[in-house]
Amino acid sequence: MMRVLVLLCALSLSACAGGGSRPAGVPGAAALAGIPTRGLPPQTLAQGECGLFLWSQTDLSQFVFFSKAASGRGVTLIGAEEVQLVQTKAEGDLFGQFTTEMGYTVEGARDSIELSLTPGELLTGGQRVSSGRMLRVDTEGWQTITPILGVRACRLEP
């Protein structure tokens, strides 16, 4: 599982940096490796930037959350819609450039997202998120809990 996460992170970062496109109908490396390709699109990190990449740990695993370190912002999926988030809380233990308990509100709405993360083993340029949960509370008070895992990764300077 760790190899899959490391590969997925590397593929996400290389896909962002590559800029090239592949012919229609030709599967990408992530699809060939059996890595979930549903969810948010690949995210870009500049040299020296760090980001938090989270995937749902469900039968239909997908890329569900991304935030650049120190940005105070994030992006997630609500249904199939990509929504922008504004950070409202950073508590718990320091986890690289992030914390283990973070809160966000959906920009332009009253929905909220709470992340609770359990840091895992250190990786070159980052650290695994061994488990966690994403709690979404919608405007009517309904709660949706999604088990998550992921990686905190930095695009290392050459």
Side-chain angles (χ1 to χ4, degrees), residues 19-158:
S21 62
R22 62 181 177 272
V26 176
L32 292 174
I35 298 169
T37 56
R38 291 181 288 282
L40 294 171
Q43 302 296 312
T44 303
L45 292 176
Q47 292 290 336
E49 275 188 321
C50 298
L52 181 63
F53 301 80
L54 300 174
W55 289 267
S56 60
Q57 193 175 4
T58 59
D59 288 343
L60 297 173
S61 186
Q62 61 181 344
F63 182 26
V64 295
F65 179 88
F66 172 75
S67 177
K68 285 185 183 178
S71 70
R73 303 195 54 82
V75 62
T76 193
L77 291 175
I78 295 181
E81 182 183 357
E82 183 177 327
V83 296
Q84 299 299 311
L85 303 171
V86 177
Q87 190 169 9
T88 57
K89 176 177 97 170
E91 298 175 350
D93 296 328
L94 189 59
F95 171 53
Q97 301 82 352
F98 299 93
T99 58
T100 56
E101 303 289 330
M102 293 179 285
Y104 296 84
T105 57
V106 175
E107 194 172 77
R110 292 189 328 220
D111 292 33
S112 66
I113 304 289
E114 298 282 329
L115 297 175
S116 179
L117 307 174
T118 303
E121 63 189 287
L122 292 173
L123 306 169
T124 301
Q127 187 172 6
R128 183 175 175 217
V129 176
S130 61
S131 66
R133 73 178 180 125
M134 182 166 65
L135 170 67
R136 175 182 166 231
V137 180
D138 71 15
T139 56
E140 296 177 1
W142 289 96
Q143 297 182 357
T144 304
I145 299 172
T146 304
I148 53 175
L149 51 78
V151 66
R152 168 189 62 80
C154 298
R155 185 167 178 197
L156 301 175
E157 308 266 346

